Amino acid sequence: MDAHAPPTAAAAHDADHPSSGVYVKIGVVLFVLTALEVGLYEFTYGGHAGPAGQTLQPFFIPVLLLLSAAKFALVAMYYMHLKQDHRLFSGVFVFPLVIATVVIVSLIVLQAYHFAFARSG
Amino acid sequence: MADHAHALEHGLETSTGLDNRKLAIWTFIGSECLFFASLISNFLVHKRTWPSGPGPFPHDAWVSPSGQHFEPIIEIPLVTLGTALLLFSSLFVVLALANAQRGNRKGLLLWLGLTLLCGFFFVGMQVYEFSHFVHKGLTLKSNLYGASFFTLTGFHGTHVTLGVIWLLTLWIEAFRGKIPPAKSLNLEIAALYWHFVDVVWIVIFPVVYLIQ
Amino acid sequence: MLVLLVAACSPDKYAQTTLKPISDFARIGDDIQTTTLYWAFGVFVLVEGALLYAIFRFRGKPNDAEPRQVHGNTMIEIVWTVIPALILAAIAVPTVRGIFETNVIPEGESLTVEVIGHQWWWEFRYPDLNITTANEVHIPVGQTVAFRMHTADVVHSFWPPRFAGKRDVFPNRQTRLWFKAEEAGEYPGQCAEFCGIQHARMAFRVRAQTPEEFQNWVSHMQTLGPKPAKAAAAPAAPDSVRTASVGANLQAPESPDPRNSARQAAAGRDSGATVSAPMPPQDAAYGAGEKLFRAKGCVGCHALNAVDAPKGLIGPNLANIGGRSYIGAGSFKNTDENLARWIRDPQGMKVGVLMPNLGVTAEEARSLVAYLRAHR
Amino acid sequence: MATTALDQQRGHATAGHAEPTGLWSWLTTVDHKRIGILYGATAFFFFLVGGLEAILLRLQLGSANNTFLSPELYNQLFTMHGTTMIFLAIMPLSAMFFNFMIPLQIGARDVAFPRLNAFSYWVFLLGGLFLNSSFLFGAAPNQGWYGYANLTSRQYSPGMNVDFWMLGLQILGVASLAAAVNFFVTILNMRAPGMKMMRMPMFTWMSFITQILLLLAFPVITVALILLMFDRFFGTHFFVPSGGGDPLLWQHLFWIFGHPEVYILVLPAFGIVSEILPVFSRKPLFGYAAMVFSGAFIAFLGFGVWSHHMFTTGMGPIADTFFALSTMLIAVPTGVKIFNWMGTIWGGSIQYRTPIYFALGFIAMFIIGGLSGVMHSSPPADLQQNDTYFVVAHFHYVLFGGSIFALTGGAYYWWPKMFGRMLNEGLGKVHFWLMLIGFNVTFFPMHILGLNGMPRRVYTYPEGLGFETLNQIETAGSLILGFSFLVFLVNIVLTWRGPRNAPADPWNGATLEWAIPSPPQEWNFAEIPTVHGRDPLWEMKREHGGQVPEPARVSGQGIHLPNPSYWPLVSAIGLMVLMVGLMAASLVGPWGVVAGLSVLFIGVFNWAFEPAG
Ligand code: HEA
Ligand code: HEA
Ligand code: CUA
Ligand SMILES: [Cu+2]
């Protein structure tokens, strides 16, 4: 790792990097969100699921996906510095991410069609 | 396999002003999105496929017609711990980077060391988890749930392992005083990869472990 | 040259052409194909014409003055974006209509035929009529036939070009095709998805018959074969593996290994296939053939009864083999010579076929031919 | 950790800047131009192999019930023909031009990661050899180039044939991905001052888009191949129905990759044609911005059409409609390209030298292929056309009539720049006419045969279906086609014997590669140029009253170049050993895999810690 990276790249950006305090705060939020995810699971499906939890089951998946999306975004924006870095980096990441999501969703839909209608019997 | 020993060969500014290697790692990460998307799709398509044999279920205990008792596979506390480890490691590596940029070698070594520790434990957690699952009767071959579970989490685990090796070489470099602020980019690039592995887990955790 | 081209294009010389549809389903596709072909031809003539014009018109010499440096023209660029879009819309409308028309599976008055692809032959079952045949599917003219299809092994594709487009058959799901034939006659069809070494020789025949002829055929087939003494162990329907219910139907075998069964068959295992009621000409050769059919292990893979035919056999049903026009899945004319050759040396005629050479002598083959010929 | 030998070489190179020669210098080269030449030579060799395979196929199909080839051999040959042409011929031929031309066109001294570049090449070479070594075992892949499950399962393909295919493609995928990252960064980051994105030459633009497609499409096939590998080696059932797996999932994953792949094959060709037409019409490219955006739009749409290869699977009316419409939509941006090319030559002063023959031939032939593509896009019609020779006609018109015509044109166009020698014009034109005639005689009748019911991938066909005559004509055509490439070979050999006679700018070029000597010196540009517009060289010439002086060869004193390195080669060998080890695991246990991983690790590690230069 002895390449002569130009000092500019790292040093110039240093100024606008958020301080360590921000990182720690994000860390706490991430932790809380994770706890929420697990708590939600316990509440709706897990050992502690009561009737109240069961009524919440329909909301479980969307809420969970939202929470994980939020975590995803926090890490990408702050820890991976996308928020203040060059916009090109965001583009290089987000465009594939969109295509990836579309691929997942459409594959599920296409396969689901087959399971629903085209099963032999 | 980024050419990570390679900086601007020409002593020129790049056209975008961005470092080649940093752009390359982002490009690679973008490409990896499709890799994991395909694996996740495969998992979602197959997660309810249990045709080829009575086997354990992720969330429920089950007694087979022949009277064999299967415990539920997934142990939420264990993976929650793993998840937390990865999340913290992301925090630690970002702190390590901040220290590297400020030229604080001690801080760099400390935070990077903690990152590594988290990484080690995550990999350890997964090794334990895998062997435990095998004990409970879930293998690559037992059914498609097992196959797609192990493939998805296994490839993620491979990524973590590679990240640990990468960070370890950097830690040694740092220990030898070879990561001055001017070279903090070396760490930044590895850290980006590490964070990516973390965000993939952020998706895998609910999708694979929590959603039934 | 052009005359030659036109002559070559004429679909009349091609027995398997897609250009002369004789069913409602095929017409839907053909209409759209014709529409798109006309549009494509129009675009072709205009665009290639303009290209040729430019190629000749704008020839330059090395020391000509520099031509006018044009960088673009927004107006004309919009025009040549919009016009193709309109043409495509003109193609899209019938396309979408066609998609929905071809996806409606008619219920009710239709005749159901179950199609099962095998490496490398076709099985046809008529569940409502309780008859089974192979490699030649009989259908009535003027009645909708609904095909329900799957495969016993790898993916194939069922394609009777004069009647319909192709539809793939899968091991784990059912696919469907339907059409109403308009003309009686015998027409070729083909497997259209690569399925291994003999994909090329996985053909079949469609025999479209007038309703009366078809009725006669059905009644005749229904006489072929008393109920089997022993019901064949019907293997699980290949799709049941999909059933979501826990623990249901585990480890359905994809299909027994033919080579194995051949061995078992040769060893005299009774697979459940039964020899059908004897046909009229019961001469010596016939009797010898009947014995040989058991002794040589043919029964291990072939059933001779069309009624209540066992499922999951490796070889085609031979209940009406004597009357088929082709053998080897539409590959060879069903002459006595070919049949005898086939029985002695299927591997020589159709390399890699899943019927082994069973060491049948010329003499034995003659008896077997006599026996099989009587099954019509 | 660089060895003394390397240091010496480097010292040598920087002191006097004499070009290093000898085998070792090629094995350790990191010069994009040399890597380009390696790519080109290897790919052209594989093209001839694939062509030879095609000619064998054609000889077998020349008459009904022919027995020239056994069924098994035929199946191996058509699989290897398709796989070779796509992965070992067209893609690396494009890569040759990426390598040689992109840095020159954007005014750079090399690519962003020269050693990664060498690694890509070595992996590609070894992957190609691996795939073809299957012939030695009599076990060449025999399941078709898209390897549909569940024919590829152990049960139905017990031999090593599918293993060779699956691991071979996996290796080639690594090469493509590494190259794609490299060129993506190169094009974004290594442009000369003033070379804004919207000033880049069209070849560079289309290559850039191609890299994006590679980056997004290849991971999907990687996963599909991994799943297949697990099925075959480790007993999973991803695509095995008896275990609940689904063959259809393979089709989806394959074509999510496969359709973008066909644009990967053709976009560089679009780029080449967009370079040739303006130069020989002496007129700038018509509608530059529209060309860029249509290319990007084609690539984007390319991700939403994959199931048009699967209309016959019965996906249901909604999915059919969606994929039919999205497929048709692609004709619009492609049409924009065609019309803009015509706008480029329109009103020009066309100089009929060999390259533009091929470029114009490309337009004429590609239109035919595109139109048959549009005919496919209508599912009710495609139910008939699918898996017939009509499809074979379609894709040869776009692949051969498109990509190969353009790549050949590119070869004639850039040959002087690459090798410093002019190819013979007369032979070039003979090559063109033979190729055009041979091509159409071979492939046009396939439309007619296909619509009249001839299925593809059949080793033979019976008499009585009417297929004989046209097949015979096609076979004759393929011989003409093969002969045309012999003419090309003769041209190469003859002119190779002659002197280095190419000036820097033989065609009155518009882009930067023509501003430097032919062949370029190791460092490309003695001085990095500054760019002020889209056709920098033309602008320069205008400023100088129509001509610029022949650029001088300079000593290159003080120009900093990357060091040669053999670690990329070592790493590539490691990867290769790993794959062979996987395949031989049943014989040698895990040791092959362990050895491969070790070599790979050592290679990458040393590479990482080696001074870059
Ligand atoms: C270079 C590669 C390449 C390219 C560019 C294309 C371009 C197109 N392809 Fe092709 N295709 C293949 C390579 C390619 N294809 C291959 C290899 C296969 C077979 C794989 C296999 O099965 O082995 C295949 C198969 C294939 C199928 C599946 C057929 C089947 O198996 O049943 C379909 C179906 O829709 C299709 C459609 C199209 C369309 C609509 C385009 C369009 O992009 C074409 C657009 C171009 C034009 C339309 C011409 C120019 C436009 C104008 C002049 C404007 C005016 C035009 C109109 C208004 C119509 N292709
Ligand atoms: C870029 C892609 C490309 C190219 C250039 C070609 C070129 C040719 N193709 Fe190919 N073809 C495919 C891609 C391509 N093909 C694909 C993807 C398939 C589908 C495979 C599948 O179904 O899986 C296919 C399938 C295919 C088939 C159908 C096989 C079948 O379905 O059964 C046929 C049949 O005629 C054919 C013929 C030809 C011919 C005659 C040429 C000619 O253009 C070749 C011309 C010949 C040469 C250029 C070689 C010249 C050689 C010499 C002069 C000898 C010298 C040799 C040495 C020195 C070593 N091809
Ligand atoms: Cu069955 Cu092809
Ligand atoms: Cu496509």
Side-chain angles (χ1 to χ4, degrees), chain C residues 245-261:
Chain C
S245 71
V246 178
N249 187 307
L250 308 163
Q251 242 133 19
E254 243 176 67
S255 99
D257 183 341
R259 291 157 195 94
N260 262 336
S261 322

Side-chain angles (χ1 to χ4, degrees), chain D residues 255 258-260 262-263 302 305-309 327 394:
Chain D
W255 290 117
H259 189 83
V262 307
Y263 291 113
V305 302
W306 75 82
S307 287
H308 67 212
H309 297 272
T327 302
H394 160 65

Side-chain angles (χ1 to χ4, degrees), chain C residues 142-154:
Chain C
Q143 188 187 359
T144 299
V145 185
F147 295 92
R148 297 195 314 198
M149 315 192 279
H150 66 266
T151 161
D153 36 57
V154 303

Side-chain angles (χ1 to χ4, degrees), chain C residues 118-201:
Chain C
H118 295 262
Q119 275 183 328
W120 295 278
W121 59 278
W122 294 95
E123 178 174 353
F124 300 106
R125 288 176 166 264
Y126 298 74
D128 306 328
L129 309 171
N130 192 18
I131 54 179
T132 298
T133 184
N135 292 336
E136 289 184 6
V137 59
H138 292 243
I139 52 164
V141 167
Q143 188 187 359
T144 299
V145 185
F147 295 92
R148 297 195 314 198
M149 315 192 279
H150 66 266
T151 161
D153 36 57
V154 303
V155 178
H156 306 270
S157 190
F158 180 71
W159 183 37
R162 300 291 301 274
F163 299 97
K166 51 193 78 61
R167 184 116 286 166
D168 300 352
V169 299
F170 290 92
N172 61 335
R173 52 169 55 90
Q174 191 181 65
T175 46
R176 294 187 169 217
L177 194 66
W178 60 269
F179 57 80
K180 193 195 305 185
E182 292 163 356
E183 272 175 38
E186 188 183 320
Y187 305 94
Q190 245 285 328
C191 172
E193 190 63 77
F194 184 72
C195 53
I197 184 169
Q198 280 297 353
H199 160 69
R201 291 207 156 134

